[in-house]
Amino acid sequence: MDTIYALATAQGRAGVAVIRISGPAAFDCVRQLVGDVPQPRQAALRNIRDTNGDVLDRALVLLFEGPASFTGEDVVELHLHGSVAVVHAVLKTLSGLPCRLAQEGEFTRRALENNKMDLAQVEGLGDLIDAETEGQRRQAQRISSGELGGRIEDWRRNLIRAASLVEVTIDFADEDVPVDVTPEVQDLLETVRVGILKELDGYQAAERIRTGFDVAIVGPPNAGKSTLLNALAKRDAAITSHRAGTTRDVIEVRMDLGGLPVTLLDTAGLREGEDEIEQEGIDRAIARATLADLRIFLTEDVDGLPVSPADQDIVLAPKADIRADGKPAISGQTGQGVPELIAEITSRLQQRSQGAGLVAHERHRVAMQAATRALAQAYQFVGLGSEHYDISAEEIRTAIRSLEAVVGRIDVENLLDEIFSSFCLGK
C-alpha cells in the first residue's frame, strides 16, 4: 500500500495550512522532515526541513497510529503557517520521499476500505463538505455520523433472523418441525418493511434540503418580477426595464432562508412571444415554474396565465406602494411587503422540510425501494406455507443485499470512482 500525502486545507493564503500523510511509511516520512517525532496523539512544535537541512517552517506535528486514525492507517498531520510558499516547499520536499500525492478522495476511500466508515457515511461527508446552509449541515452531519448505517444494520440483523428461521424449516422439510415459524418471520419482515418505508417517506424533503428548493416568480410582463427578485436578493441580479419582454431567460439567485438552500427564479413574462427568442424564454419560464417547489404569482389576475397557482403557492398583486384596494400586494421598488414575503416563503419551505429522513440520495432510495418489494414478496410466500419457503428465503436474501448496497458492503465498486471524484485531494 502506497503512502500518500496532500494539502487538507484550502488552497491559497491562510492562517494555518494542514498537510496530511497516510500509509505505512507516514512516520518514516515525517521523521525525515522533523527528525525527532513526538509521541502519537501528542502535538509538538518541530522545525520542518528539506533534504538539504534548510528550515522550511516551524510547525505543529501530530501522529495518529493506525487503526485508531481517520484512514485506519498511520497518519501524520503537519499544521503549517498558511503561506503559499511554505506549503509549496513542504509539498515539494514530500514528493522526493517514499510517498506520493493523493488522488481525489483517496484518504476517505482508505477509511471506507479499512471499515472506518460505510459508504452512506462517505456520501454524508461529501454532503457536509458541500453544505452551504445550516439545514444542509445538520442533515449531512446525521448521515455522516453513521445513523443510517446503524438503522440498516438493525434491519439486516432482523432479516438474517427471519432467513435463518425459514432456512432451518427448509433443511428439515422431511421431518416434523414442532414450531410454526410463519408468525415470527412475517412479524420480522413487516417490522423491517415499515421501518424502511418510514425512512423513504422523508426522502423528498431530505433530497430538497440537500439540493435546494426552487422558488419561481411568475406573472405577466411588466408586473415587477425582476424588481422583486432584486429586492429579495438585495442586489441587482436581474435587469429591470419598463419594456415588456426584457427578461428572456430564467435568472437564478441562490439564497439561504432559515437555514434552507433556496434558488429564486425570475422568469420571462407570460404572454405570446413577439419573436422566436422571447417565445423560447417564455417556454422555459413555464417549464421551470411548473417544476418549482413554490411559485410566487405577481399579477393582478391569475386567470389566463398558462400556469395556475397550487394550494401552497403565493399570489400577490404588484405595486403595493401605489394601490389602496386592500389586495395582498408587494412592491419590489420600495420594499413594502418584502420582509413579510421572505418570512412566508421560509415558513412554507420549512413545513415541507419537516419529516426529512436520512435517505437523501437517489441511490439510497432505489436500493431501499427494491428491499421493500422483496420483503413484500417474502411476506406473501411465507404465508402460503412451507412449500414456498425456498422462494421466500431468496426474496429475503435479495432484500439484505439491497440494504447492504446502501452502506457499501456489496456491488459498489462501479460507484466509488464517481463518488470520490467530487472530493478534494486532502479528503
Side-chain angles (χ1 to χ4, degrees):
M1 178 68 73
D2 292 342
T3 297
I4 58 174
Y5 68 90
L7 178 66
T9 47
Q11 297 279 352
R13 189 178 67 175
V16 176
V18 178
I19 290 177
R20 178 182 285 167
I21 311 167
S22 179
F27 291 178
D28 290 337
C29 288
V30 78
R31 195 171 285 112
Q32 295 183 56
L33 292 176
V34 305
D36 179 36
V37 298
Q39 292 296 312
R41 299 184 177 274
Q42 293 184 15
L45 279 172
R46 294 288 189 271
N47 287 328
I48 308 293
R49 300 177 183 273
D50 62 16
T51 54
N52 295 321
D54 295 330
V55 176
L56 303 177
D57 193 24
R58 188 161 175 80
L60 196 67
V61 180
L62 269 168
L63 277 65
F64 302 89
E65 282 186 314
S69 69
F70 173 71
T71 62
E73 304 170 333
D74 288 344
V75 172
V76 177
E77 289 185 358
L78 304 176
H79 295 238
L80 310 164
H81 292 97
S83 156
V84 174
V86 167
V87 171
H88 175 75
V90 175
L91 291 175
K92 182 179 179 181
T93 301
L94 280 169
S95 68
L97 300 180
C99 54
R100 63 169 174 81
L101 186 65
Q103 298 174 353
E104 290 88 347
E106 190 169 3
F107 288 91
T108 307
R109 184 163 187 163
R110 292 190 177 195
L112 173 67
E113 292 170 347
N114 292 325
N115 296 317
K116 305 299 289 186
M117 306 175 73
D118 63 45
L119 191 57
Q121 285 180 282
V122 168
E123 290 166 310
L125 179 59
D127 292 343
L128 186 60
I129 293 170
D130 292 336
E132 298 175 330
T133 71
E134 180 63 13
Q136 289 176 319
R137 183 198 65 78
R138 287 197 302 266
Q139 177 170 279
Q141 192 70 53
R142 288 181 65 197
I143 300 172
S144 64
S145 70
E147 191 173 342
L148 178 58
R151 294 191 186 183
I152 286 177
E153 185 57 35
D154 289 340
W155 295 333
R156 180 175 175 274
R157 191 179 301 113
N158 284 337
L159 293 182
I160 290 174
R161 167 66 178 170
S164 66
L165 291 172
V166 173
E167 294 283 1
V168 74
T169 303
I170 296 172
D171 290 342
F172 294 94
D174 296 331
E175 304 177 21
D176 292 331
V177 179
V179 179
D180 182 7
V181 301
T182 299
E184 183 178 355
V185 170
Q186 287 188 321
D187 182 62
L188 288 168
L189 297 179
E190 189 63 10
T191 298
V192 173
R193 193 180 72 88
V194 169
I196 297 173
L197 289 174
K198 184 178 180 181
E199 282 301 324
L200 288 173
D201 284 343
Y203 166 74
Q204 187 171 16
E207 193 266 346
R208 299 314 285 161
I209 292 174
R210 185 175 69 86
T211 61
F213 292 90
D214 284 346
V215 177
I217 304 173
V218 297
N222 275 345
K225 299 184 297 300
S226 296
T227 302
L228 177 58
L229 177 77
N230 292 340
L232 292 169
K234 297 182 180 179
R235 63 183 177 89
D236 291 336
I239 298 173
T240 59
S241 170
H242 292 294
R243 179 183 174 183
T246 300
T247 302
R248 296 296 183 98
D249 203 351
V250 178
I251 298 173
E252 301 182 1
V253 175
R254 190 78 165 180
M255 295 183 67
D256 178 346
L257 296 183
L260 298 175
V262 177
T263 300
L264 292 175
L265 309 174
D266 177 24
T267 60
L270 302 182
R271 66 171 185 176
E272 288 295 328
E274 294 184 352
D275 55 52
E276 183 179 346
I277 296 176
E278 184 185 0
Q279 187 59 51
E280 176 63 24
I282 293 170
D283 292 341
R284 292 186 183 188
I286 294 172
R288 291 299 298 273
T290 302
L291 295 174
D293 300 287
L294 180 67
R295 286 162 290 273
I296 303 167
F297 283 82
L298 193 62
T299 179
E300 295 286 353
D301 187 359
V302 297
D303 293 339
L305 293 178
V307 180
S308 300
D311 292 339
Q312 287 294 312
D313 291 339
I314 300 172
V315 180
L316 295 170
K319 302 178 175 60
D321 53 320
I322 58 173
R323 66 189 310 136
D325 55 9
K327 279 186 176 182
I330 193 169
S331 171
Q333 187 71 40
T334 66
Q336 181 178 337
V338 171
E340 291 81 3
L341 176 59
I342 292 175
E344 185 63 24
I345 294 171
T346 303
S347 174
R348 296 192 184 199
L349 294 183
Q350 284 178 337
Q351 289 178 7
R352 294 193 182 190
S353 66
Q354 290 178 355
L358 295 168
V359 182
H361 289 257
E362 177 69 5
R363 185 182 72 82
H364 303 168
R365 184 190 67 80
V366 170
M368 291 170 69
Q369 281 188 335
T372 61
R373 291 193 295 269
L375 291 176
Q377 289 291 316
Y379 185 97
Q380 178 183 352
F381 283 113
V382 166
L384 294 177
S386 57
E387 63 272 19
H388 294 89
Y389 276 10
D390 54 342
I391 302 177
S392 179
E394 182 56 35
E395 294 291 349
I396 295 173
R397 285 192 289 270
T398 297
I400 292 173
R401 287 193 294 269
S402 294
L403 294 177
E404 288 177 337
V406 175
V407 293
R409 290 196 176 199
I410 60 168
D411 297 338
V412 294
E413 285 301 320
N414 58 329
L415 295 171
L416 294 183
D417 290 339
E418 179 180 349
I419 290 171
F420 289 117
S421 66
S422 64
F423 280 62
C424 59
L425 294 181
K427 269 295 181 185

